[in-house]
Amino acid sequence: MKVPTLDKLLEDQLKDIYSAESQLLKALPKMAKAASTPALKAALTAHLEETRGQVERLTRVGEHLGIAKLTGKKCAAMEGLIEEGKEALEMEAPPAILDLAIIAAAQRVEHYEMAAYGTARAIAEHLGHGEVVKLLQETLDQESAADEKLTAVASDAVFPSIKEGPEDEVEDDEDEDEKPAPKKKATPTKAARK
Ligand code: FE
Ligand code: FE
Ligand code: ZN
Ligand code: FE
């Protein structure tokens, strides 16, 4: 592919991002559906809404730059990240563990987007497209906030719901109304047999 100018590179980058966001519009609902922790479901659903706005914003960026259409390119990286996300969704795991796998996949996605928008914004800045810089920064801020939200959901809601703690700190909980506590592994028995 010939990319003789910075304008062309920006166009190519924007098409890649457009493809990435479009793929996410299909993947995020599946991730939200598979999530159990209400805060995670809510975060993913809220980000799906934001993503719709991001696609809209990209269209405005394209219009400003006189790019006829942003379709026609496939972001291979997002395809791969979503593929990994699918592996998470297919895991046979307790709900909280599955939620953490979903968060791990979702944060990889957000970081990829942050890198992509950051670079595109820098190119637009160099080319003096102030309006485009503003639009790309708005989305970049949303991606970054989504990433931080996922970190907060993990530490405030998902990890606390998991009984397993650091070794030797597993509490002997009398409450049996929740998931059965993970069985202590056979290690002590094995040691005793020696
Ligand atoms: Fe996005
Ligand atoms: Fe890409
Ligand atoms: Zn401009
Ligand atoms: Fe995002």
Side-chain angles (χ1 to χ4, degrees), residues 46-85:
H47 197 53
L48 170 63
E49 264 324 298
E50 280 181 337
T51 301
R52 291 203 180 97
Q54 293 172 357
V55 171
E56 174 58 36
R57 210 175 273 135
L58 279 173
T59 304
R60 274 190 277 149
V61 166
E63 281 165 8
H64 181 91
L65 296 172
I67 301 168
K69 55 178 183 56
L70 290 169
T71 50
K73 186 181 165 88
K74 179 150 206 174
C75 174
M78 188 56 72
E79 193 177 27
L81 289 173
I82 289 173
E83 186 58 38
E84 282 196 5

Side-chain angles (χ1 to χ4, degrees), residues 21 24 47 51 54 109-110 113 143 146:
E21 297 287 16
L24 278 170
H47 197 53
T51 301
Q54 293 172 357
V109 166
E110 296 313 319
E113 295 185 289
E143 308 296 19

